[in-house]
Every structure is written in structure tokens, then in C-alpha cells.
């Protein structure tokens, strides 16, 4: 007899769906979809994508999946861009 288990747990206060992503725009032009690695009410860590944004870049973020609850995402600023990914803060 074979048993299969599915473990569903979350650590910390970073809550995100399994296939989470956000749509980014820069100066009103589409910059692409970026996978969310971690999210909380103050900031969000994204995987690297086709465009590498320098620290200080202003981006418009469309949270199509509602990853950050009770937070209307419009404008964010890149606060870090390193080997871990691109970190945005509101």
C-alpha cells in the first residue's frame, strides 16, 4: 500500500500563492512579469527577469493575484538588486 502526503505550510509572515507574480511598468511602459520570491506589507522580493533595474528606479506594480493584502500597489522603488533578487519597497 502506498501513501502520498501533501504538506502545506507557510513560514513567517510572508504569504504568497504557489505561482505568484506581479506585472511591472516603468514610465508607463510594460517591463514584464516577475516572479515573487517573498512578500510582506512593507516590501517584496522578486526573482531577476529580463530587465535589471538599478537601485532607486521607480516602478508601477500591478498585483494581479492580490499577494499583498490590503495594500494598493501602484508605485514602488527598487531598494536592492543583488544575487538574491530585486527588492521593492513602497
Amino acid at each position: 500500500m502506498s501513501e502520498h502526503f501533501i504538506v502545506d505550510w507557510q513560514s513567517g509572515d510572508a504569504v504568497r500563492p504557489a505561482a505568484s507574480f506581479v506585472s511591472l511598468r516603468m514610465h508607463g511602459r510594460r517591463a514584464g512579469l516577475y516572479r515573487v520570491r517573498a512578500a510582506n506589507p512593507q516590501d517584496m522580493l522578486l526573482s531577476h527577469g529580463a530587465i535589471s533595474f538599478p537601485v532607486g528606479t521607480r516602478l508601477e506594480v500591478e498585483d494581479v493575484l492580490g499577494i499583498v493584502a490590503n495594500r494598493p500597489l501602484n508605485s514602488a522603488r527598487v531598494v536592492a538588486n543583488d544575487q538574491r533578487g530585486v527588492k521593492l519597497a513602497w
Side-chain angles (χ1 to χ4, degrees):
M1 176 178 206
S2 175
E3 293 183 25
H4 299 280
F5 295 95
I6 297 174
V7 178
D8 184 17
W9 59 275
Q10 297 173 357
S11 62
D13 59 351
V15 178
R16 62 185 179 94
S20 56
F21 62 89
V22 292
S23 176
L24 298 181
R25 291 181 176 269
M26 186 169 62
H27 304 296
R29 300 183 81 184
R30 193 179 309 207
L33 296 175
Y34 285 75
R35 185 172 300 276
V36 177
R37 299 183 75 192
N40 61 51
Q42 297 82 25
D43 55 30
M44 180 179 287
L45 181 65
L46 307 176
S47 292
H48 289 288
I51 300 173
S52 181
F53 302 105
V55 173
T57 303
R58 288 263 180 217
L59 299 169
E60 295 89 40
V61 181
E62 184 181 359
D63 184 8
V64 295
L65 298 176
I67 297 164
V68 181
N70 301 325
R71 177 74 178 130
L73 299 179
N74 301 18
S75 180
R77 186 173 48 88
V78 177
V79 294
N81 188 344
D82 55 25
Q83 67 275 7
R84 293 180 303 137
V86 178
K87 189 171 188 175
L88 305 179
W90 330 124

